[in-house]
Amino acid sequence: MSDSSDRNEDEAAAQVFTPDPVSLAHLELILNGAYPLTGFMTREEVASVAKDGRMPDGGAWPVPVTLPVPDELADAERLTLTDPEGAPLAELRVGQRWWSGAEGVEGQGDGDDAPGHRLAGEVRFAQPPVYGALRHLRDSPEQVRGQRELAGDGGVPVLAVVTDRPLHHRELHQIRAAAEELGGDDRAEVLVIIDAPLESAGMAPVVLAAEPLLPAPARFVVATLPRASAEGAATLSAERRELLRAHVAAAFGATRLLALDGSGPAVPAADDAPVAVVRAPEWAYDTAQAQWRPAGEVAPEAAAELPDEAEVEEMLALGRGLPAWFTPARVAAELARIRPPRTERGLTVFFTGLSGSGKSTIARGVAEGIRKSGRTLTLLDGDVVRRMLSAGLTFSRADRDLNVRRIGYVAAEIARHGGVAVCAPIAPYAATRAEVRAMVEEVGDFFLVHVATPLEVCEARDRKGLYAKARAGEIPEFTGISDPYEEPEDAELVLDTEGRTIGESVAEALDALRAGGWLPTESA
């Protein structure tokens, strides 16, 4: 048989797989050269990195880079790795397959401790990625270094900042001071690497708003830096995250990395980081002189207390302006644009509870109250969705999960455009509810209401006769009888309807939405 025939048969044998978001981020950083790796790690490499922060050959590297796959792909020889839209990104030639989570590196802190099958091996580039937000800013390290050379900046020191947060006045002063120190009598270039999710812009527009306030020349690039080795694995420690930032910054040509988070750990050891990592000196706003100054030059009683992230979020949620001394007007305006007051944000009010708990009736009452407040509203009742959106699905666990995911998808699209979705499925499984929450919170707010009516009360009501049929064995996998209901531990509101009227429960839910700022306080 000819080499061409062998190659064709080999191509036909390749299976197609879309990695989870974490592995997809790892893959892009491998392919664009930000990682000094040729592919996904072997079991031995993961164990070494997890234990010592080093590859078996002694080279420093902070994070295991793994590819989890489902059971049906555990024996694959080759995989075509695609983006979520199905476009091929790379080909993996499997060099090793192993199981993570039951033994080996489990519990080693920064190891790949999410259980499941892993495939290791080199990846071959297929075609440039097109999926993902802000693709025009996702230049590769080679492209960024080339741009600097073409601009005649090849010998200029580069101060890198990696951030997923806004650059307020304090951070801008820290960057200016560090750039001045690095450049000495000459100039230093500032390279801002914005750590943004692959599927959304995240805080990137807010970071970009600060561009005119940075010392020139300043460049911006977007990258997605994983917080873990794999989906479901333990989050990287702060020190390892800083080390990962240092490796990525070095690939982009940085000569120094400025760590802005003054509350973080000590800077990594010099022999572990490929570039010097320096902790930004603290700056404070001097209320006596109405200016920002190095913290050591400000009397303690004159230093303004900075609002933390939760306080900033609360001010934005309630439509209050951020203090001018705290953040530049450009940054404040962009923050207000992407985080408008809650009365203008997309919102999903998600009711969950047993069949017969009263959630659908309460949801209808709450929907009517929201509609009267003037907000655009869509009611996604569980039974109606079953007929219109999920016709043909069974009541198996897989189909019930799919039904809830469909509801979540529609709710997220409603929230994306500033509307309110009120949903009332049973949604018995915590993991699926968490998926819906994550889906919605990418574009809006999520308010989970647990209608916590006891099983015996629901069964006593049994308006549809479903519990009687389930007890008789006529309905398999019935929630509360032959299938579990996992009570939420993350509900924003718990309603106990026993001994209460529907009107009282509706009023409590509407009061909670008003108190949170999602409805105007004067609404009825």
Side-chain angles (χ1 to χ4, degrees), residues 167-250:
L167 299 177
H168 299 299
H169 279 308
R170 179 183 66 172
E171 290 77 21
L172 291 168
H173 279 286
Q174 290 172 326
I175 293 170
R176 293 189 199 106
E180 184 177 341
E181 178 189 351
L182 179 60
D185 295 333
D186 299 315
R187 64 191 176 97
E189 177 182 309
V190 174
L191 173 65
V192 181
I193 302 174
I194 306 173
D195 183 5
L198 190 59
E199 69 285 348
S200 70
M203 278 289 161
V206 183
V207 178
L208 289 166
E211 180 177 9
L213 308 174
L214 289 169
R219 298 177 191 269
F220 288 81
V221 66
V222 172
T224 302
L225 305 188
R227 268 64 166 172
S229 60
E231 190 89 348
T235 302
L236 294 174
S237 66
E239 184 172 1
R240 295 218 181 194
R241 283 190 64 192
E242 204 73 80
L243 278 166
L244 179 61
R245 289 176 170 183
H247 279 276
V248 171

Side-chain angles (χ1 to χ4, degrees), residues 333-344:
E334 194 59 33
L335 265 174
R337 184 188 69 80
I338 70 169
R339 299 298 289 164
R342 284 184 182 147
T343 52
E344 300 173 16

Side-chain angles (χ1 to χ4, degrees), residues 5 9 52 72 77 104 114 120 142 146 149 167 171 207 223 265 271 278 364 390 433 497:
S5 298
E9 285 189 7
D52 302 318
E72 59 268 24
E77 296 293 336
E142 183 178 15
E149 292 290 339
L167 299 177
E171 290 77 21
V207 178
D271 57 348
V278 295
R364 285 195 293 271
S390 296
R433 293 194 300 264
T497 65

Side-chain angles (χ1 to χ4, degrees), residues 457-470:
V457 176
C458 296
E459 191 167 2
R461 294 172 179 170
D462 203 14
R463 183 170 57 89
K464 302 175 185 177
L466 298 177
Y467 283 97
K469 292 180 179 179

Side-chain angles (χ1 to χ4, degrees), residues 297-312:
E297 301 176 11
V298 180
E301 64 274 12
E305 184 176 352
L306 272 65
D308 60 24
E309 288 187 42
E311 291 170 325
V312 169

